[in-house]
Amino acid sequence: MTTTAVPTRTEPVAVRLPGAWTLGLHRGALEIKQFFRQREQVVFTFSFPVVFLFLFASIFHDDVRGSGVTASQLYVPAMMASGIMSTSFQSLGISIAVERDEKVLRRLRGTPMPPTAYFLGKIWLVLFTGVLETAILLLVGTTFYGVGLPSDAGRWFDFAWIFVLGLTGCALLGIAISSVPKSAKSASSVVVLPFLVLQFISGVYISVDTIPDWMLNIGALFPLKWLCQGLRGVFLPDSARVLEQAGSWEFGRIALVLAAWCVGGLALCLLTFRWKNRRDG
């Protein structure tokens, strides 16, 4: 007597997709790999602030009266702040605009990948390049221009929150401004021009004690001025406070302004970010 096997019905197995955080990590690793594959971009990104530091510190190197520092030492934290904004605001503002114009964002939006993972990937890229840029400039400043490292944990803590808040605020502002250019060709002009102006009125290229107050007041509306001031407060002696507009480092106000830009930048991103160009509907 033979028996016939009765086929059994197999229940579909639910496949658990990775979460946004995991995908964001993978996306960040991909962004970093793509960045370092473009050698010209890597060289330009990391050498630009270093070259400008050498130029300005070589031209202006005398002692600054009554401050206890040299002009070249003033440029080190200023260029660090500029480098942070370059790797966040400028980098994201241009790259996202290019990706939108080339319809990369539109294709990504049509995949199962959560939108959060895309932005997390960009943040990981910005964090990695920002840390590396800052480390290079700090190495140059301590080696060639006598800038001292903080000797107490409090100053290192100040450096940490200034770096994080400044990088975050500038990155969010870069994501927001990426929606302004109408095409990839105009992205550089739209993003670089305001960044260049801010460097002149925020104490990057010109010492704050020689900039007119009305220009400083305009610069104070944006994060770069406070990022420069905060890093000067971390890496320069307290005697240099006399050069600031208020005669103080104003760490409390720096924290409030940078935190406000983080919140405001996020609101701008939510209101203005688009996955496709205006001409695509």
Side-chain angles (χ1 to χ4, degrees), residues 135-189:
I136 293 172
L137 288 166
L138 190 56
L139 178 63
V140 172
T142 54
T143 303
F144 296 100
Y145 302 113
V147 173
L149 295 175
S151 57
D152 60 277
R155 284 296 173 91
W156 281 114
F157 176 74
D158 290 335
F159 170 69
W161 65 257
I162 290 169
F163 177 85
V164 171
L165 289 180
L167 187 76
T168 303
C170 291
L172 291 171
L173 191 57
I175 295 173
I177 202 174
S178 70
S179 298
V180 176
K182 295 182 178 180
S183 66
K185 293 181 180 179
S186 63
S188 295
S189 302

Side-chain angles (χ1 to χ4, degrees), residues 253-275:
R253 179 172 292 183
I254 292 170
L256 288 174
V257 173
L258 294 182
W261 266 109
C262 291
V263 176
L266 179 59
L268 284 174
C269 291
L270 294 174
L271 291 172
T272 63
F273 187 80
R274 294 176 288 103
W275 291 94

